Amino acid sequence: MPKPVALAVAIVLGAAAPPGTASDGLALTPPMGWNSWNKFHCEVNEKVVRDAADAMVASGMKDAGYQYVVVDDCWQGERDAAGRMVPDKERFPSGMKALADYVHSKGLRFGLYSDAGEFTCASRLGSKGHEATDAKSYAEWGVDYLKYDWCHTEGQDARDSYGLMSRALRATGRPVVLSICEWGSTKPWTWAAGIGQLWRATGDIQDCWDCGREWGGMGITHILDLVADLHPHAGPGRWNDPDMLEVGNGGLTLAESRAHFSLWALLAAPLMAGNDIATMTPEVRDILLNREVIALNQDPLGVQGRRVFDGGHNEVWMKPLSDGSRAVVLLNRGTDTMAIRCRLEDIGFAATQKVAIRDLWAKKDVALENGAIEGKPKSHDVVMLRVTPVD
Ligand code: GLA
């Protein structure tokens, strides 16, 4: 077993707020919900979406904070004579207003997907040239969240295109969260605050721990490394989005799923479940419903956690919380169980600070080990702790 690590890292607490961060009071904590894409891709229809809304309530996800039910690509049909988008009549025969009403009747919020280009990534019709008409339809249907993609946008300027839809949504008078999805290609963290409330920071997530795919999709650890340094740009109403969750889709072990969920929570990432929540196993449900982990994701301070130690296979991540405590993730990227240690100074406390430590997956209180925080995560697993100062 490798030797425990000692850390000496300067911690700067609190994210600097860039100018122009107005978010209309929307998404002051990272959005939580469910999106159809990762599991269903184009095999989405109104029954799948109603079942997801039902399951969000029945599974306890709604009570735990999950809110948005989002239909991704492939709901679109044709435009009518007035240029209005008509949903695919086979997949969504009842129409989007009825579906939004159903979702709202469960006390949840409804989301849709479109694209800033002429076509979506799955070659359905996009919103280019129809921004105001589409925004008006969304408002009439009762849409609360729009994921706006970036396929087929050759020659378009991202800031202009997202600004156009942002203004069109605002003009309707309905508060709609705008989820910017241009995969980090134009560094949206430098311009998108005030236009949308979250922005994808990377290419598409893949249901695997550390794989990469030639066309740009990637596993959990690749995404983690890409978003690690973006923490100064996040805050209430302006979130880096490392893409939707793959927990429960079969490609990750339970340990990897736990690590994925823990790290996304610590990154103040949107927590959008991407699995079939109507049929998920109790083990998957227990991951998505860990309220102590969700609580630190939803902490009102809204600081994205950061890596404070990188030992190659052993990493320490830390997120400051509004009550003065710190969330800590001890991540084991190696192939064997290993002890990972960090000192109180390494997470911004005085060495003499008395602390209470809660292990958020073991769900028990633990103590310092020889004056340090210590955990022994298994391969591709984490130990996640909440470290709270006590007088
Ligand atoms: C892009 C997005 C995905 C998904 C698909 C739909 O790849 O990044 O999240 O919305 O399009 O076609």
Side-chain angles (χ1 to χ4, degrees):
M1 189 180 293
K3 278 193 190 152
V5 291
L7 308 181
V9 184
I11 306 293
V12 183
L13 296 180
T21 53
S23 78
D24 298 343
L26 294 169
L28 295 179
T29 61
M32 294 176 66
W34 171 87
N35 173 299
S36 56
W37 184 255
N38 283 358
K39 170 70 185 176
F40 294 97
H41 301 282
C42 269
E43 297 306 310
V44 64
N45 57 49
E46 62 185 38
K47 179 174 185 314
V48 163
V49 180
R50 279 200 305 262
D51 287 352
D54 292 348
M56 203 177 274
V57 177
S59 65
M61 287 176 76
K62 177 183 172 224
D63 287 344
Y66 292 85
Q67 228 178 1
Y68 295 97
V69 175
V70 182
V71 186
D72 208 280
D73 209 347
C74 301
W75 64 267
Q76 307 87 342
E78 301 296 330
R79 292 191 180 276
D80 68 12
R84 288 175 304 220
M85 178 62 76
V86 179
D88 183 313
K89 290 202 163 82
E90 281 180 18
R91 295 183 182 280
F92 295 90
S94 313
M96 285 302 165
K97 169 94 173 62
L99 192 54
D101 287 349
Y102 185 81
V103 170
H104 290 152
S105 77
K106 302 269 159 184
L108 299 166
R109 294 186 180 164
F110 183 65
L112 275 184
Y113 163 102
S114 189
D115 189 288
E118 198 179 340
F119 299 100
T120 71
C121 295
S123 304
R124 300 292 178 125
L125 292 176
S127 289
K128 186 180 179 187
H130 300 272
E131 292 84 359
T133 312
D134 285 354
K136 196 161 168 280
S137 296
Y138 303 153
E140 284 167 6
W141 295 339
V143 169
D144 305 297
Y145 182 110
L146 177 68
K147 175 176 167 183
Y148 204 44
D149 214 340
W150 191 238
C151 278
H152 305 285
T153 54
E154 290 71 23
Q156 289 177 230
D157 177 83
R159 189 175 185 151
D160 290 349
S161 297
Y162 284 99
L164 187 61
M165 182 50 96
S166 177
R167 288 191 301 279
L169 291 170
R170 280 196 184 123
T172 69
R174 184 176 177 87
V176 180
V177 170
L178 178 58
S179 159
I180 292 173
C181 181
E182 56 71 90
W183 322 303
S185 46
T186 63
K187 298 191 168 57
W189 47 90
T190 63
W191 57 260
I195 294 177
Q197 288 75 28
L198 61 156
W199 45 83
R200 279 277 296 281
T202 72
D204 286 7
I205 196 167
Q206 297 292 330
D207 186 17
C208 54
W209 179 246
D210 57 5
C211 67
R213 298 263 168 90
E214 277 178 11
W215 52 269
M218 63 198 94
I220 308 304
T221 58
H222 293 289
I223 291 191
L224 187 62
D225 291 338
L226 285 172
V227 298
D229 294 332
L230 299 182
H231 56 86
H233 305 286
R238 50 190 170 89
W239 308 107
N240 293 306
D241 178 2
D243 207 355
M244 302 167 299
L245 297 166
E246 291 285 9
V247 175
N249 279 335
L252 300 170
T253 65
L254 279 178
E256 290 168 346
S257 303
R258 194 162 42 233
H260 172 29
F261 191 71
S262 302
L263 288 157
W264 263 231
L266 182 124
L267 290 169
L271 295 180
M272 302 298 283
N275 59 317
D276 183 357
I277 58 176
T279 61
M280 64 185 159
T281 63
E283 291 80 9
V284 166
R285 181 183 172 281
D286 285 350
I287 293 174
L288 292 175
L289 274 146
N290 186 322
R291 285 178 181 245
E292 290 178 290
V293 175
I294 291 171
L296 58 91
N297 173 263
Q298 294 292 302
D299 184 79
L301 196 58
V303 175
Q304 175 175 329
R306 71 211 72 172
R307 183 158 44 199
V308 296
F309 175 76
D310 184 352
H313 291 319
N314 48 332
E315 297 181 358
V316 180
W317 292 72
M318 187 279 296
K319 172 177 166 45
L321 302 169
S322 54
D323 66 353
S325 60
R326 312 275 191 265
V328 175
V329 168
L330 309 173
L331 168 65
N332 178 356
R333 290 166 75 147
T335 50
D336 301 307
T337 299
M338 83 173 102
I340 305 180
R341 289 165 59 92
C342 80
R343 301 174 311 182
L344 289 173
E345 305 95 288
D346 302 323
I347 57 167
F349 291 132
T352 51
Q353 177 67 54
K354 288 198 172 48
V355 293
I357 309 177
R358 176 85 174 157
D359 183 325
L360 304 185
W361 289 110
K363 298 188 174 152
K364 61 176 194 196
D365 298 331
V366 296
L368 292 174
E369 296 275 345
N370 299 320
I373 296 162
E374 182 180 291
K376 293 192 183 68
K378 296 198 170 85
S379 168
H380 296 185
D381 204 349
V382 292
V383 168
M384 187 167 206
L385 306 161
R386 183 170 183 138
V387 184
T388 307
V390 291
D391 304 325

